[in-house]
Amino acid sequence: MTVNNLKLGVHVVGAHDLMPKDGLGSSSAFVELQFDGQKFRTTIKEKDLNPVWDESFYFNISDPSLLPHLVLDVYVHNHNRATNSKSFLGKVSLNGTSFVPHCDAVVLHYPLEKRGIFSRIRGELGLKVYITDDPAIKSSSSISAAENNVSVNHAQTPKPEVRHTFRHLPNTNHSHSHSQSHTHPRHDHHHGSSAKVTHEATYQQVEEMKMKAEAPLPKIVRMHSASAAQPVDFALKETSPYLGGGRVVGGRIVHADKTASTYDLVERMQFLYVRVVKARDLPNMDLTGSVDPFVEDRLQTSVLEVKVKDKDLIKDDFVGIVRFDLHEVPTRVPPDSPLAPQWYRLEDKKSEKVKGELMLAVWLGTQADEAYSEAWHSDTAGIDIQSSAASALLRSKVYHAPRLWYVRVNVIEAQDLIPTEKNRFPEVFCKAHIGHQIMKTKSVQARTLNSLWNEDLVFVAAEPFDDHLIITVEDRVAPGKDEIIGRVIIPLTQIDRRADDRLIPSRWFHLEKPVAVDIDQLKKEKFASRLHIRVCLDGGYHVLDESTHYSSDLRPTAKQLWKPTIGVLELGILNAEGLHPMKTRDGRGTSDTYCVAKYGHKWVRTRTLVDSLSPKYNEQYTWEVFDPATVLTVGVFDNCQIGGKESNAGNKDVKIGKVRLRISTLETGRIYTHSYPLLVLQPNGVKKMGELHLAIRFSCTSFANMMYQYSRPLLPKMHYVRPFPVMQQDMLRFQAMNIVAMRLGRAEPPLRKEVVEYMSDVDAHLWSMRRSKANFFRLMSVFSGLFAVGKWSGDICMWRNPITTVLVHILFLMLVCFPELILPTVFLYMFLIGVWNYRYRPRYPPHMNIKISQADTSLPDELDEEFDTFPTSKSSELVRMRYDRLRSVAGRIQTVVGDIATQGERFQALLSWRDPRATAIFVTFCLVSAIVLYVTPFQVIAALTGFYAMRHPRFRYRLPSVPINFFRRLPARTDSML
């Protein structure tokens, strides 16, 4: 959009069921809009509780960078003609983060909000809010709705390709340094283009050597879970690394570095950057009078040599050289502007000037430099990369998953069908498909040429919409033989969008009858048959594309329903240690590893570190957080797309392990630096593949919004108003995962399907004897408290401890005499337990636990069954069918048992401080409840509780209550499940 002409458009549609204010059962309503210091108002609709305005307004946006922090306030007032005054009927407030372009805007009906606690408000207001940059639109007080149909063009300025190179200087924050012999650079054989070269350097600054001498070795603290202890080698370890912002001790930065940049969660790495742009006036080197130049560089002691050579079949000819003293190379720290390249005169080997000039720039920097992600790295110089496209497989990239929509197709009826055989009534059904998704309605055999279905078919589609919705009406002429009567092709771009449950108008479509076999070259002829359907894009849902236990995003598809952010999540991927070799190169085991992190729509991939079992990534990424009940996933993979014949697993990237981090378990502002064991379950048992060092920080931007989220439903409103059946939801999730994997696989470099599936836990729903046992023991652990209370009661009755029994008798007599003390005592007791447990609260995020997962006790036959294909390939057809059916049923039982265990574990999480904010809320509630119940007669509390439980349906809402929403957001031990 054009920034200097950006406007906010608001189309006021109408309101309904307003509160009467004139004493005669009616109101004269008008709407007042306020945004960015501007105010507009609509006309007054006299004596109408369901007014319709259909008026549009446009506000000037003075500073687009402040748009996310601006608020649109819409007030509905009643006009009193006698006193020329106004009275409040309700308001709607919309945050700037929910504003969308005109092409995505739909009419939404917002419930009117109260101005105060004692206000009596009812009704809804229909608005359409969007952003436009149409120069023909001018800010005015009222514009007709017809003038509101303007298009929004997204202008994009092409960004020129910039190629950089750099050399990695040794990291001085460690107690040792690495020296590397000269390696051959990669060459670019095109005159005038940017050559890319990287090498390991031996230069080291004196200041950093002093820092290294002062910095102590990282401290490792081994931490064990009290509830499920596992071997030390599989446990989480807390470290104290020296990062870019300073040394991290106990989650806080000490000895802070005043020159630290925004990359303060990773170790600062020194690089020598060489940006080669172009050359001119080069001498002719061949007999034909031409030259095929390329550039290479090398580092010797404290001198950088940039050589220009001529490519030859036998031996490359020397053209010229440019030398740099590293002590004179400037240092650049962002946000400093990039260093401008300069022309340098070429010299010969004797340092005498020769013909030709080379344009380049040389500077010292860190991984915070903008050129870092696009440059060639020195550790890839020994890999056979034949093209820049292949070298892209090694670079760090950021991916954005596509925006997913649910496509709801309501097939109503068909009229005047013409069967293929004239002497019979057709047995008709409809088949709809989008891409590879195909769904059918039931078959209908009527005594007429009309058919009625009225069935809903739901698909998943991704923006931009490449596929069309194709609906065919088919006749089942014989078992296994269907003939097409006609079809309808509807582009998804022409389908109406909605963000709530409003009714979309249905439409009649003429069926096109194909006469050719090839669907791409069909000849069509119009005839009288028609199909009645209702189709829309449902934006009020969150399209589930990952495992529900580890969801990283819970926002609806429609952006205008998004709430403001509650915080920022920062992740520093430091390094990995002790990795198992995944391939063989030059007769030795090695790995070419990279990390992938996924949260919300943003996927990130670090650069691939070649030929290293202890890679140092030191890359930092940031995400916006909208909900604390979400999970960040970090995976480590071996890149099998390089190395030619030595790659394994059928050229599939091999999984090494992954880490999950639930946002709600992180304290605000604390830096978590831990070494996470990479655990992978294999057919021969669980195996530790190495350790991954991470630095994580969750910063809260709005404490009030974050606390408010604990009272909100976990999923958008449409999931409760019009929920999907479980079977349909699982099918849609599978389709969504496939679409995300396909779209990310089309990026450059592609994020491969096996990577997306592993990160999304695509097989989490399949049957596993190990998971079933783990869920059963989780359930037993939850009820162990009740069993302990029963045993304790039995011991009291049996007088095993006389002193305890006498005290219990006295307490029981007191509660019988004073029943009003029962509830205060219970809540006060839970409050005291919560305060007591605060000392033992978890100090680190939960991680995968082999004890809880039953990974160390599974039998070989059980693991063989878990790693069996689905459907099974170990038996005959009859046994296969029965076996798969058993696995399907057992998988559902497994899910139910796991869900029950999850609910019990959430009860335990109320006082365990696993989610510090939730426990703080509950402990405060217990204290307040204890006080209120103490000063309030028990009879009053009982009466209010009974009346509330038996309240009229008019006072009930379809959305879950605040206690239920709070409870569903509590963490469970699913985060520790393999």
Side-chain angles (χ1 to χ4, degrees):
M1 291 186 178
T2 305
V3 175
N4 57 2
N5 197 35
L6 211 58
K7 292 181 175 62
L8 177 68
V10 182
H11 182 63
V12 183
V13 180
H16 65 275
D17 196 23
L18 295 178
M19 179 71 70
K21 286 287 186 177
D22 60 355
L24 300 176
S26 185
S27 292
S28 300
F30 67 93
V31 177
E32 189 175 84
L33 303 97
Q34 299 179 11
F35 177 79
D36 198 13
Q38 306 163 65
K39 182 186 295 186
F40 296 134
R41 62 180 292 178
T42 65
T43 57
I44 300 174
K45 299 297 180 179
E46 298 287 346
K47 306 296 182 180
D48 192 353
L49 295 179
N50 299 283
V52 176
W53 288 281
D54 203 22
E55 299 178 13
S56 294
F57 306 88
Y58 294 92
F59 296 88
N60 291 321
I61 300 177
S62 57
D63 188 355
S65 63
L66 299 178
L67 185 59
H69 307 288
L70 299 178
V71 177
L72 170 66
D73 292 318
V74 184
Y75 299 92
V76 183
H77 295 286
N78 169 62
H79 180 256
N80 191 331
R81 184 180 297 272
T83 60
N84 196 23
S85 61
K86 62 183 181 181
S87 54
F88 183 74
L89 290 177
K91 71 173 183 178
V92 174
S93 295
L94 302 179
N95 193 277
T97 57
S98 65
F99 300 158
V100 297
H102 184 272
C103 58
D104 289 340
V106 296
V107 177
L108 289 177
H109 294 276
Y110 299 92
L112 293 177
E113 303 173 0
K114 297 180 180 181
R115 184 164 51 185
I117 300 178
F118 302 103
S119 301
R120 296 183 64 232
I121 299 300
R122 74 181 189 192
E124 295 181 345
L125 179 64
L127 299 174
K128 182 178 181 182
V129 184
Y130 53 89
I131 299 175
T132 181
D133 62 349
D134 191 339
I137 296 178
K138 297 183 179 180
S139 178
S140 61
S141 60
S142 180
I143 301 178
S144 63
E147 298 176 2
N148 194 28
N149 299 325
V150 296
S151 60
V152 179
N153 298 322
H154 300 270
Q156 297 181 353
T157 304
K159 183 178 181 181
E161 180 182 4
V162 180
R163 302 182 179 181
H164 305 81
T165 67
F166 63 81
R167 298 174 178 172
H168 178 196
L169 298 181
N171 189 352
T172 59
N173 296 331
H174 299 283
S175 59
H176 62 276
S177 60
H178 300 275
S179 61
Q180 181 173 334
S181 60
H182 172 68
T183 54
H184 296 287
R186 310 279 18 112
H187 301 152
D188 191 345
H189 306 299
H190 300 281
H191 178 65
S193 63
S194 300
K196 306 179 181 180
V197 189
T198 59
H199 290 286
E200 190 77 21
T202 58
Y203 173 73
Q204 193 167 2
Q205 297 179 349
V206 177
E207 294 81 0
E208 294 180 339
M209 294 180 64
K210 295 180 179 178
M211 185 184 301
K212 178 189 71 173
E214 296 174 357
L217 293 176
K219 178 183 178 182
I220 297 180
V221 181
R222 301 186 182 274
M223 310 185 71
H224 307 275
S225 173
S227 59
Q230 56 180 346
V232 175
D233 197 36
F234 293 91
L236 199 64
K237 304 171 187 176
E238 184 177 13
T239 60
S240 297
Y242 195 97
L243 305 181
R247 183 171 177 79
V248 179
V249 178
R252 298 291 183 266
I253 294 181
V254 297
H255 308 300
D257 187 354
K258 296 181 180 180
T259 62
S261 64
T262 55
Y263 285 73
D264 61 342
L265 292 187
V266 292
E267 297 178 2
R268 183 179 301 175
M269 303 172 68
Q270 291 293 326
F271 292 95
L272 175 62
Y273 289 84
V274 182
R275 180 187 180 194
V276 182
V277 183
K278 57 185 175 180
R280 67 184 180 185
D281 299 333
L282 296 179
N284 297 328
M285 304 299 296
D286 299 333
L287 297 178
T288 58
S290 62
V291 61
D292 301 322
F294 65 90
V295 178
E296 70 178 21
D297 66 347
R298 68 179 59 193
L299 200 61
Q300 294 186 356
T301 312
S302 61
V303 177
L304 170 67
E305 297 180 347
V306 182
K307 295 182 180 180
V308 181
K309 292 186 176 182
D310 174 44
K311 185 64 178 178
D312 206 341
L313 294 177
I314 301 176
K315 182 181 180 181
D316 299 335
D317 296 328
F318 177 82
V319 177
I321 189 173
V322 178
R323 295 181 177 90
F324 295 90
D325 186 351
L326 290 185
H327 296 284
E328 303 298 330
V329 173
T331 300
R332 176 179 179 263
V333 178
D336 292 348
S337 300
L339 193 66
Q342 302 180 29
W343 286 105
Y344 293 90
R345 184 72 177 270
L346 296 180
E347 301 176 351
D348 59 12
K349 296 181 179 179
K350 297 180 181 181
S351 299
E352 295 181 0
K353 300 295 183 181
V354 297
K355 184 181 180 181
E357 291 181 304
L358 181 64
M359 177 179 281
L360 51 81
V362 181
W363 70 94
L364 291 171
T366 66
Q367 69 267 42
D369 200 289
E370 293 86 349
Y372 176 78
S373 61
E374 297 297 330
W376 282 3
H377 296 257
S378 58
D379 54 10
T380 62
I383 299 299
D384 184 17
I385 301 176
Q386 301 297 333
S387 64
S388 60
S391 67
L393 294 171
L394 307 176
R395 296 175 179 169
S396 56
K397 293 293 180 182
V398 176
Y399 305 82
H400 286 276
R403 187 181 176 192
L404 301 178
W405 292 80
Y406 282 138
V407 183
R408 188 182 296 272
V409 182
N410 178 222
V411 183
I412 303 175
E413 60 179 327
Q415 291 183 355
D416 303 327
L417 298 177
I418 301 179
T420 54
E421 300 177 6
K422 304 298 184 183
N423 56 352
R424 57 178 288 273
F425 289 103
E427 183 180 352
V428 182
F429 66 93
C430 283
K431 180 191 295 184
H433 63 90
I434 300 177
H436 298 289
Q437 306 174 66
I438 301 177
M439 298 189 69
K440 300 179 181 179
T441 66
K442 62 179 180 293
S443 299
V444 174
Q445 188 168 19
R447 306 303 298 175
T448 64
L449 296 179
N450 301 331
S451 298
L452 177 65
W453 295 280
N454 197 22
E455 291 188 31
D456 269 354
L457 308 177
V458 183
F459 301 86
V460 179
E463 289 184 348
F465 300 120
D466 298 332
D467 300 313
H468 297 329
L469 170 63
I470 303 177
I471 305 177
T472 58
V473 180
E474 302 185 17
D475 179 18
R476 182 155 297 167
V477 296
K481 182 180 180 181
D482 303 324
E483 293 186 358
I484 298 178
I485 297 178
R487 70 169 186 176
V488 175
I489 301 178
I490 306 175
L492 294 181
T493 55
Q494 300 179 6
I495 296 178
D496 293 333
R497 305 182 182 190
R498 68 177 182 183
D500 47 22
D501 57 345
R502 65 186 177 92
L503 191 63
I504 297 294
S506 60
R507 295 174 58 189
W508 285 94
F509 292 88
H510 288 285
L511 292 176
E512 301 171 348
K513 185 174 183 180
V515 294
V517 178
D518 189 356
I519 193 171
D520 296 326
Q521 299 178 354
L522 290 177
K523 297 179 181 179
K524 311 163 188 174
E525 61 179 62
K526 296 292 182 65
F527 64 107
S529 297
R530 298 192 305 166
L531 182 63
H532 190 198
I533 61 175
R534 178 183 291 109
V535 59
C536 70
L537 292 169
D538 263 336
Y541 293 92
H542 167 67
V543 180
L544 300 171
D545 59 341
E546 52 194 347
S547 175
T548 54
H549 293 298
Y550 315 118
S551 295
S552 63
D553 189 13
L554 301 171
R555 293 172 295 174
T557 301
K559 290 185 178 180
Q560 54 264 48
L561 296 179
W562 291 5
K563 301 299 181 183
T565 60
I566 64 170
V568 175
L569 176 65
E570 299 170 274
L571 170 67
I573 304 177
L574 303 181
N575 64 293
E577 293 181 351
L579 296 181
H580 280 228
M582 308 304 295
K583 63 182 66 169
T584 302
R585 181 179 293 133
D586 298 331
R588 59 185 177 82
T590 186
S591 293
D592 308 321
T593 59
Y594 64 90
C595 297
V596 175
K598 173 185 74 71
Y599 185 77
H601 291 172
K602 181 179 176 181
W603 296 58
V604 299
R605 169 178 174 165
T606 67
R607 63 189 181 104
T608 299
L609 293 181
V610 178
D611 200 12
S612 175
L613 297 180
S614 298
K616 299 182 183 300
Y617 305 101
N618 282 310
E619 299 185 19
Q620 184 171 340
Y621 300 95
T622 304
W623 288 268
E624 289 184 332
V625 177
F626 291 85
D627 198 304
T630 48
V631 177
L632 167 72
T633 305
V634 184
V636 184
F637 301 88
D638 179 62
N639 194 333
C640 294
Q641 313 310 311
I642 59 177
K645 298 180 180 179
E646 296 175 347
S647 52
N648 54 8
N651 277 339
K652 288 186 176 181
D653 290 352
V654 181
K655 60 185 180 182
I656 298 179
K658 64 184 172 184
V659 176
R660 302 191 196 101
L661 297 160
R662 186 172 294 272
I663 309 302
S664 62
T665 62
L666 304 178
E667 296 180 12
T668 303
R670 180 185 177 94
I671 299 178
Y672 292 88
T673 53
H674 291 87
S675 175
Y676 295 84
L678 299 173
L679 306 179
V680 174
L681 191 66
Q682 298 179 346
N684 57 352
V686 66
K687 187 175 182 180
K688 179 181 176 181
M689 306 299 293
E691 294 183 355
L692 180 64
H693 293 252
L694 301 176
I696 304 139
R697 177 172 57 201
F698 171 58
S699 304
C700 176
T701 57
S702 176
F703 183 78
N705 287 339
M706 182 173 61
M707 290 303 185
Y708 178 65
Q709 285 296 321
Y710 281 92
S711 66
R712 299 294 302 162
L714 194 64
L715 293 172
K717 176 182 177 181
M718 287 297 294
H719 287 271
Y720 307 100
V721 175
R722 296 190 64 180
F724 292 115
V726 176
M727 289 290 294
Q728 187 180 26
Q729 184 171 292
D730 290 341
M731 183 269 295
L732 292 174
R733 182 187 296 112
F734 178 75
Q735 298 293 349
M737 286 182 180
N738 286 338
I739 291 176
V740 172
M742 181 186 65
R743 287 293 180 89
L744 294 180
R746 290 163 53 182
E748 184 60 38
L751 203 58
R752 300 180 61 81
K753 182 178 181 181
E754 60 269 18
V755 174
V756 177
E757 290 181 347
Y758 182 62
M759 297 289 291
S760 302
D761 291 281
V762 69
D763 58 349
H765 66 287
L766 296 180
W767 159 258
S768 167
M769 181 66 74
R770 176 189 60 83
R771 289 197 188 99
S772 297
K773 291 196 302 182
N775 288 334
F776 174 77
F777 285 113
R778 286 172 57 203
L779 188 63
M780 295 299 295
S781 177
V782 169
F783 288 107
S784 62
L786 295 179
F787 299 151
V789 171
K791 183 178 181 301
W792 178 78
S793 301
D795 292 343
I796 294 298
C797 296
M798 296 300 295
W799 287 78
R800 296 188 183 277
N801 190 330
I803 297 178
T804 305
T805 303
V806 171
L807 293 177
V808 170
H809 277 73
I810 296 175
L811 177 62
F812 176 75
L813 182 62
M814 291 176 57
L815 295 179
V816 169
C817 296
F818 304 98
E820 63 273 10
L821 295 179
I822 295 178
L823 290 179
T825 302
V826 171
F827 281 103
L828 184 60
Y829 180 67
M830 288 192 292
F831 167 76
L832 294 176
I833 291 178
V835 173
W836 179 262
N837 288 343
Y838 180 78
R839 300 193 311 169
Y840 310 103
R841 67 190 185 278
R843 301 303 180 99
Y844 58 93
H847 186 54
M848 298 174 184
N849 191 301
I850 63 171
K851 292 291 185 180
I852 296 177
S853 305
Q854 296 291 311
D856 58 337
T857 59
S858 298
L859 300 176
D861 180 66
E862 297 172 351
L863 293 176
D864 180 70
E865 180 186 28
E866 182 170 350
F867 283 90
D868 188 15
T869 59
F870 190 85
T872 180
S873 57
K874 295 184 178 296
S875 57
S876 63
E877 294 296 327
L878 179 61
V879 178
R880 177 183 303 177
M881 183 271 295
R882 295 176 178 176
Y883 185 50
D884 291 342
R885 181 174 59 187
L886 175 62
R887 293 173 71 184
S888 178
V889 174
R892 297 183 182 279
I893 298 175
Q894 162 188 311
T895 302
V896 172
V897 174
D899 291 341
I900 296 175
T902 297
Q903 308 309 319
E905 290 167 354
R906 285 172 176 166
F907 271 111
Q908 293 178 336
L910 285 172
L911 299 174
S912 68
W913 294 93
R914 172 59 68 188
D915 184 344
R917 287 166 291 273
T919 304
I921 293 174
F922 183 74
V923 168
T924 305
F925 169 76
C926 291
L927 178 61
V928 174
S929 299
I931 297 174
V932 171
L933 293 174
Y934 178 78
V935 300
T936 306
F938 177 77
Q939 294 83 354
V940 175
I941 300 296
L944 292 177
T945 304
F947 284 128
Y948 179 78
M950 297 180 291
R951 66 191 185 278
H952 192 272
R954 181 178 180 182
F955 301 100
R956 299 177 184 268
Y957 298 92
R958 291 184 291 180
L959 293 180
S961 62
V962 171
I964 293 178
N965 296 332
F966 178 85
F967 180 75
R968 287 178 177 175
R969 290 182 174 277
L970 293 172
R973 300 175 75 180
T974 52
D975 302 331
S976 300
M977 292 287 293
L978 275 174

